[in-house]
Amino acid sequence: MSLIPRSARHSDRPDYDEILEEIRREIHPHLSRGHVDDRIPALADLRPDGFGLALRTVDGALHQTGDAVEEFSIQSISKVFSLTLALQLEGDALWDRVGRAPSSSPFNSLAQLEHDRGIPQNPFVNAGAIILVDTILGHRGDGSDAILEFARSVTGNDNIRYNPKVTRSELEHSHRNAALAHLLRDFGNLHSEVDTVLEAYSRYCSLEMSCADLTQAVQYLAQGGLNPLTGDVVLTASLTKRTNALLLTSGVYGAAGDFAYRVGLPAKSGIAGGIVAIMPGMWCAAVWSPRLNRTSNSYAGTLALERLTTVTGTSVF
Ligand code: GLN
């Protein structure tokens, strides 16, 4: 008898439908844990006990359970697409303006940016993502729908849209992001006007997608940088590897260490409760559950991904 659990042997493909369904049942009692974000009032429209989970293998097979086709604003998951575009447009010069260190403060910390003299710790904290948006605007111009175009091209879904109510709500309550942008500008690390960059940043965060869409959207990160729908190079293999490294070290902010221990995958979270996770060469998963833990990551979503990698015996380690 093999000592390796059946599900961990790569030769026989796990029954993902059954595994996802089992995880949904296991997670159900935990759906009341945590709190829906209240910094963006429009997020109060989310169903607090919603839960969706999807997994798409590199050969394109989609497995899903719960509310996996329900759309939500992807919030900071959009920073994965912003980073990809900024790297395409700017290459290594991007790293003159933003660091690659793990986050040691909350994702919207002003004190950290002041301490680091206007160089955000990494591209996934808000100040870092504001630099990404500034880079995109610098190359593509104001009012550019670069992210929308990108999301549609990697998903093949032309129905993907921004949620204007979420954009507006976020903009009306963007004092902290405005403060970060002003501080960046004061340090000479922001080229666009603050209002222009904030508008684009808020729009990007309001992009609405489902878990099923997201597993397709980040598929290039599991496939060496290729868009599996078109065969186009989205990122070089080297930049794909490096993007996954950044997702592992800072994709879930201050929780990165705990998340690496429990889940063991590159991942990116958003405050509407979505998380994407990448198992390079095998699959991408996306989970959504709006109640957040103390590190602003989905409570049940983190738990579900922990179960997924445990039950399937897969992780990057
Ligand atoms: N729109 C949110 C903000 O800027 C995104 C934060 C997140 O999803 N972590 O605060």
Side-chain angles (χ1 to χ4, degrees):
M1 197 181 105
S2 169
L3 292 177
I4 303 169
R6 191 177 180 299
S7 55
R9 276 181 268 139
H10 290 278
S11 51
D12 43 359
R13 189 182 171 109
D15 184 340
Y16 289 118
D17 289 317
E18 194 183 305
I19 290 170
L20 298 194
E21 191 48 31
E22 181 59 36
I23 292 172
R24 191 188 64 75
R25 276 197 296 268
E26 255 182 69
I27 295 298
H28 191 78
H30 300 278
L31 292 181
S32 55
R33 310 276 295 266
H35 299 282
V36 176
D37 177 83
D38 58 7
R39 280 163 297 192
I40 302 174
L43 297 186
D45 293 350
L46 294 167
R47 283 189 304 108
D49 298 336
F51 176 83
L53 176 60
L55 179 147
R56 196 182 299 260
T57 54
V58 289
D59 57 13
L62 174 66
H63 306 272
Q64 53 185 320
T65 185
D67 307 312
V69 293
E70 182 154 337
E71 293 184 346
F72 54 90
S73 63
I74 67 169
Q75 295 293 330
S76 286
I77 299 173
S78 66
K79 296 171 184 172
V80 180
F81 309 140
S82 300
L83 176 63
T84 299
L85 275 177
L87 283 171
Q88 282 174 352
L89 295 166
E90 193 79 13
D92 273 350
L94 180 66
W95 304 120
D96 296 339
R97 299 178 63 194
V98 58
R100 299 190 295 262
S103 319
S104 54
S105 307
F107 64 86
N108 53 8
S109 171
L110 282 157
Q112 189 67 49
L113 187 61
E114 173 76 14
H115 176 267
D116 296 331
R117 311 222 33 93
I119 304 291
Q121 287 193 306
N122 61 64
F124 300 131
V125 291
N126 285 10
I130 289 170
I131 299 284
L132 302 177
V133 176
D134 187 41
T135 302
I136 296 167
L137 294 179
H139 285 267
R140 302 278 302 259
D142 293 357
S144 148
D145 266 338
I147 289 289
L148 186 61
E149 258 171 50
F150 182 88
R152 289 179 175 176
S153 81
V154 285
T155 54
N157 180 355
D158 284 341
N159 293 322
I160 288 174
R161 312 196 180 289
Y162 299 118
N163 179 328
K165 184 176 172 190
V166 173
T167 317
R168 224 174 14 256
S169 179
E170 172 143 359
L171 266 174
E172 283 165 9
H173 295 82
S174 64
H175 304 297
R176 184 171 281 268
N177 286 335
L180 289 168
H182 280 290
L183 200 50
L184 286 167
R185 187 115 180 174
D186 184 66
F187 279 111
N189 197 11
L190 189 78
H191 309 313
S192 315
E193 292 303 324
V194 166
D195 287 351
T196 310
V197 85
L198 280 183
E199 197 279 328
Y201 171 92
S202 303
R203 204 154 23 96
Y204 293 4
C205 287
S206 76
L207 199 62
E208 285 210 310
M209 293 170 81
S210 66
C211 290
D213 288 326
L214 280 167
T215 59
Q216 184 71 58
V218 294
Q219 204 49 234
Y220 64 97
L221 292 173
Q223 305 207 23
L226 297 183
N227 177 343
L229 300 174
T230 60
D232 292 343
V233 177
V234 181
L235 275 181
T236 62
S238 169
L239 282 176
T240 303
K241 179 189 71 180
R242 291 175 162 188
T243 300
N244 281 326
L246 293 167
L247 288 168
L248 185 83
T249 52
S250 48
V252 291
Y253 314 113
D258 180 58
F259 196 92
Y261 180 85
R262 290 170 55 193
V263 180
L265 294 178
K268 185 74 207 81
S269 59
I271 52 168
I275 310 178
V276 292
I278 293 108
M279 179 61 212
M282 289 182 76
W283 46 256
C284 297
V287 63
W288 169 69
S289 182
R291 292 186 199 266
L292 308 181
N293 61 23
R294 270 179 297 173
T295 53
S296 299
N297 299 302
S298 171
Y299 185 94
T302 304
L303 210 54
L305 291 171
E306 178 178 3
R307 289 304 297 148
L308 178 62
T309 53
T310 303
V311 172
T312 57
T314 38
S315 94
V316 296
F317 300 107

